[in-house]
Amino acid sequence: MQAKTLFPNSYLLVGVCSDDLTHKFKGFTVMNEAERYEALRHCRYVDEVIRDAPWTLTPEFLEKHKIDFVAHDDIPYSSAGSDDVYKHIKEAGMFVPTQRTEGISTSDIITRIVRDYDVYARRNLQRGYTAKELNVSFINEKKYRFQNQVDKMKEKVKNVEERSKEFVNRVEEKSHDLIQKWEEKSREFIGNFLELFGPDGAWKQMFQERSSRMLQALSPKQSPMSSPTRSRSPSRSPSPTFAWLPIKTSPPSSPKAASASISSLSEVDEDEK
């Protein structure tokens, strides 16, 4: 409220005319007087709402409510046979001009409703209002309901298209990820295969090792050229070596010859000792 801004410590009273006066001097209203009373009563800048206020402010009304200033826009307000209903207030020096807010007025609201009448009629039919309550003919009611069904189908098709686009985008992202993973796995597989079965791979080395082991196992062992000689113990005296020579003996021809041979053998033994 501009009046409260101009006079911060003031007591703001707002007069609201009845439906009868408003319909007579201005026209049919969108909100009835009870709704207008409640709307202003809930405004935090308003200190008091005066119901059934007069269309033209009289000195008696101003004195009764102890009004010092009257706030309104400065445009002359012609009504009730007068070029400006606030002319006497201005002449008395009690008028405080305010600025209108563009786009916010009863006339602008009604203009929007009349201009978009079909949209609001379809909206209220969709929300459960009857054609009788909206003062809509039978043909227009069917037309509006058909248009609502068409709009619903369009909305469904739009939603399906959006979901389809989202699904396609997801599939493309997943396919791209799968291709990348497949390329990584294929590189890894090829690298492992070459590492195992390549020219210098582990499989070839393992095969060569096993082949050499099998060849070693299957080849005969070579016998040593000479047997190792046993070392003699220094503490022991060398044992005598006997050479056994074959001696051809013939049966003694006589007992004398036999005794002679025995005696010769005994001599030989003594000499060796």
Side-chain angles (χ1 to χ4, degrees), residues 155-166:
E155 190 68 23
K156 288 182 180 179
V157 172
K158 185 179 179 181
N159 293 334
V160 170
E161 289 179 353
E162 291 178 355
R163 291 177 182 177
S164 300
K165 289 180 181 179
E166 291 179 359

Side-chain angles (χ1 to χ4, degrees), residues 61-75:
F61 180 82
L62 297 175
E63 185 178 356
K64 177 184 177 181
H65 294 281
K66 299 178 181 179
I67 297 174
D68 299 316
F69 297 96
V70 177
H72 199 273
D73 61 85
D74 199 18
I75 300 174

Side-chain angles (χ1 to χ4, degrees), residues 201-217:
W203 179 260
K204 183 177 180 181
Q205 295 178 0
M206 183 174 64
F207 180 77
Q208 290 177 352
E209 290 178 359
R210 290 188 177 182
S211 299
S212 61
R213 290 178 183 176
M214 290 178 66
L215 290 175
Q216 291 178 1

Side-chain angles (χ1 to χ4, degrees), residues 106-117:
T106 307
S107 300
D108 291 336
I109 294 173
I110 294 173
T111 301
R112 294 180 200 171
I113 295 173
V114 173
R115 182 187 60 197
D116 300 326
Y117 171 77

